[in-house]
Amino acid sequence: MRFNRFGVYKKFLHIYQAQSAIGHRHVPAESKRVMRPDDANIVGNVHGGTILKMIEEAGGIISTRHCNTQPGDRCVAALARVERTDFLYPMFIGEVAHVSAEITYTSKHSVEVQVNVLAENILTGAKKVTNKATLWYVPFSLQNVDKIIEVPPIEYTNQEQEEEGKKRYEAQKMERLETKERNGEKIWPVISPDRQTKGTFTVGFSQSSLIHLVGPSDCTLLGFVHGGVTMKLMDEVAGIVAARHCKTNIVTASVDAINFHRKIKKGCILTVSGRMTFTSKKSMEIEVFVDADNLVEADKGNYRAVTAFFTYISLDKEGKPLPVPPLKLENEEEQKRSEEGEARYLQNKAKRLSEKEQQK
């Protein structure tokens, strides 16, 4: 007797759909994983990119699962945006990462997912929250990769919850459009400098690029790059920039909103570039952007795919913050980027202080 795997898949899919049709309030998706040496830097701090990748995987699972609870085209949810993400505490080798994702709002064509990350010390059982993130996904048809699928609505506890979600949706939609208009199609190459001729603590001395060929293991069922893979590469480049500037142990402190302007296909060459934009007394802001070059469709040229600002801090051997060497600005363009970075720094600082006051 022949084993029809597709038939078995369809059978279980119909069962799942029938069970899900009862209501669209899902149990949070959860995953656990022990942090290994290859997840961390040389002093044992888990890379921010590793955590971002786990966050995106959880968000992708629950949003794809939700969008397939209705009849019609099968689909895969693609990451469109990650809101500002703070790294509240560092995670270390040997700790267990607990990742929990829950859908909190749906529009006609997008899903908002809230993800929490906890670090567990398996020796004592103590847990602490290390990350909270908000992600937005858009579902694309498996039959037609350019077709966006309508999202099944979720049930809200009350009308206020739905209205608050709609406000968040409208705000992120507006910011995504503004960011795409500002950065979407403009390519500013970051040329690898001759560090023998560049002064230390300048933008040119620390700026860095990484080249990556997109392979099958980087991609979703649609043949496009996982958002988590892209974010991990971005964090690696930002970390190199920060380390070159400080020459100390550095860790990710936060990531401003990450906007995914265009999808990246399998076979593309990615150029992930980072440059220092601003330094405060104890932090560094690094601008990171991802440019994609499609080898198969070379006539279409390269394009800006993703942009974000990463903030890093420098730590001593005891894990305490160290002063950051001031950034030396060499021209008007660098001065302008630094002023914009300072404005973001002051805005985020004021927001954190306001949130602390509200919690008292």
Side-chain angles (χ1 to χ4, degrees), residues 21 131 219 303 349:
N131 298 82
C219 298
Y303 59 91
K349 184 177 181 180

Side-chain angles (χ1 to χ4, degrees), residues 41-107:
N41 62 19
I42 56 176
V43 296
N45 298 115
V46 173
H47 292 296
T50 299
I51 297 171
L52 288 171
K53 191 170 184 289
M54 290 190 295
I55 288 172
E56 197 280 326
E57 286 172 350
I61 288 170
I62 196 169
S63 52
T64 297
R65 182 184 293 162
H66 174 75
C67 292
N68 283 285
T69 56
Q70 60 186 353
D73 288 354
R74 300 301 93 206
C75 62
V76 173
L79 183 63
R81 175 180 166 90
V82 182
E83 301 292 352
R84 177 181 169 83
T85 304
D86 291 308
F87 290 74
L88 306 174
Y89 293 99
M91 194 179 296
F92 300 97
I93 294 171
E95 291 187 323
V96 178
H98 296 251
V99 186
S100 176
E102 183 176 10
I103 294 174
T104 49
Y105 180 77
T106 56
S107 69

